[in-house]
Amino acid sequence: MQRIGFVLVPGFQLMYLAAISVFEFANVSAGENVYQIDVLSEEGGAVRSSHGLTADTKAFEDPNFDTVIFGGGMQITESSSRMIDFARRASLASRRTASICTGAFVLAQAGLLDGKRATTHWLSARELQERYPKVKMEEDRIFIIDGDIWTSAGMSAGIDLALGMVEKDYGSELARSVAQKLVLYHRRAGGQSQHSELLKMDAKSDRIQSALDYARKNLKSALSVEELADAAHLSPRQFSRAFRSETGQSPAKAVEHLRLETARLMMEQSRHPIEYIAAETGFADRERMRRAFLRAFGQPPQAIRRSARAVDEGE
């Protein structure tokens, strides 16, 4: 049985605790206790979250865990010498050391991210890079594995990090079973972007949102303005005007962004041939998709796939 030490700090965000559920349900899916979870803090006892709820914790003692995960606080502050000492001792005694969201600041302050590829919540990535220039910050990743150091973005990305650990420890079948029990659509790959085009296109009306949903489900179609307008139950002229007003871009540009996002996810998370992905996402052929990738990401599809695999494999 593997011991997981989960470190909380005062003012932690409740969403961080969702990662614990991954290990809990790994035990359920495995039919035995493959993980033991200890919630830790510097002083032990009740630790107050940013919302005001508290979690009961054990004080730092023996750092001999299989995995130690540090969750940060809503406010970024300098960690105490005791916290930093525990992080350093845990990194030496444990098989892997990890952080969720701003927990990366603890690892960085302890020097554990020096020369390492790492990520954190995109809102805090620039600050971490400025404070700790030796860190090889990749601010747009869901999670990153560099040797025995794992770092993740904020909030729900901690779930992806924990699922990645379960997959590394016990295989993809158990990780999929846990994801199903948590009612997750799939485990996001570490190389996946923290940003979503659907989130950026914040449609205010149901009609424009319906058109976006239709586009996402029918990327193989031509998705002309007339087709999208029909999905929104508007005339093409009314639709174009409303779409630009609500999303800040034209329907054609929005469709290209959706095609790119979906194609990038397929490149990162599947082994489908490029020709297949191009056809499924409406690019028609691999050359047209390659040009679109170069415009949007500055890299061809093959480079995106190699980068995602390197992140997930900790290369």
Side-chain angles (χ1 to χ4, degrees):
M1 182 167 59
Q2 299 185 23
R3 293 180 66 211
I4 306 290
F6 198 93
V7 181
L8 296 181
V9 299
F12 71 90
Q13 215 287 324
L14 287 171
M15 189 70 181
Y16 299 166
L17 297 179
I20 294 178
S21 294
V22 173
F23 301 112
E24 178 185 3
F25 277 90
N27 291 340
V28 173
S29 293
E32 60 178 311
N33 289 332
V34 294
Y35 292 107
Q36 174 186 319
I37 306 157
D38 291 327
V39 183
L40 311 172
S41 70
E42 188 172 339
E43 300 295 337
V47 177
R48 189 180 179 86
S49 72
S50 60
H51 188 265
L53 298 178
T54 60
D56 192 32
T57 66
K58 300 178 182 178
F60 293 156
E61 291 179 356
D62 182 4
N64 287 288
F65 292 87
D66 176 79
T67 302
V68 179
I69 303 174
F70 290 82
M74 289 286 283
Q75 302 297 321
I76 300 169
T77 59
E78 288 290 307
S79 297
S80 68
S81 59
R82 188 178 178 192
M83 176 71 77
I84 296 305
D85 177 67
F86 181 76
R88 288 170 177 161
R89 289 191 294 121
S91 72
L92 294 174
S94 304
R95 178 165 64 96
R96 61 193 170 200
T97 308
S99 65
I100 296 174
C101 197
T102 57
F105 282 79
V106 178
L107 303 190
Q109 189 179 336
L112 302 180
L113 299 186
D114 288 357
K116 297 280 190 180
R117 295 166 51 247
T119 193
T120 187
H121 195 295
W122 63 270
L123 282 171
S124 304
R126 298 292 174 86
E127 182 176 350
L128 191 146
Q129 184 69 88
E130 290 172 1
R131 287 195 190 187
Y132 307 102
K134 293 181 180 179
V135 179
K136 297 178 180 178
M137 174 55 59
E138 297 185 18
E139 63 183 75
D140 195 32
R141 301 299 89 190
I142 294 294
F143 69 87
I144 288 177
I145 310 167
D146 192 334
D148 59 356
I149 300 292
W150 296 51
T151 55
S152 84
M155 305 304 174
S156 63
I159 297 174
D160 300 292
L161 176 134
L163 282 169
M165 290 180 173
V166 172
E167 184 171 324
K168 287 282 186 182
D169 295 341
Y170 296 106
S172 58
E173 185 175 343
L174 183 61
R176 280 196 297 270
S177 176
V178 173
Q180 288 173 345
K181 286 181 172 61
L182 293 174
V183 199
L184 297 174
Y185 179 64
H186 59 73
R187 180 183 78 79
R188 293 182 294 180
Q192 185 175 329
S193 171
Q194 294 185 36
H195 302 281
S196 167
E197 287 300 330
L198 282 176
L199 288 177
K200 292 178 185 177
M201 290 184 277
D202 185 19
K204 297 177 177 61
S205 69
D206 290 342
R207 288 188 174 188
I208 300 304
Q209 187 60 56
S210 294
L212 286 170
D213 291 341
Y214 176 86
R216 183 179 58 175
K217 295 173 183 176
N218 296 275
L219 289 177
K220 292 177 70 173
S221 174
L223 294 177
S224 65
V225 170
E226 289 75 16
E227 186 176 356
L228 293 173
D230 186 61
H233 304 291
L234 293 168
S235 71
R237 184 176 180 181
Q238 289 175 316
F239 173 75
S240 294
R241 186 185 304 116
F243 192 96
R244 186 178 289 276
S245 174
E246 292 189 28
T247 69
Q249 55 189 292
S250 68
K253 182 60 68 175
V255 166
E256 183 178 29
H257 286 162
L258 291 175
R259 294 193 202 281
L260 281 164
E261 180 172 273
T262 304
R264 178 171 178 164
L265 286 175
M266 292 181 72
M267 288 299 301
E268 292 174 339
Q269 299 181 15
S270 77
R271 295 183 180 274
H272 291 308
I274 294 177
E275 291 83 356
Y276 174 86
I277 294 174
E280 286 295 303
T281 54
F283 281 109
D285 59 65
R286 62 182 295 164
E287 178 56 28
R288 188 173 300 177
M289 188 172 82
R290 187 187 73 84
R291 292 197 300 268
F293 266 60
L294 288 172
R295 287 195 304 271
F297 309 126
Q299 301 179 78
Q302 298 94 325
I304 297 288
R305 172 166 281 173
R306 285 195 298 270
S307 176
R309 288 181 180 173
V311 169
D312 277 345
E313 294 169 6
E315 296 176 358

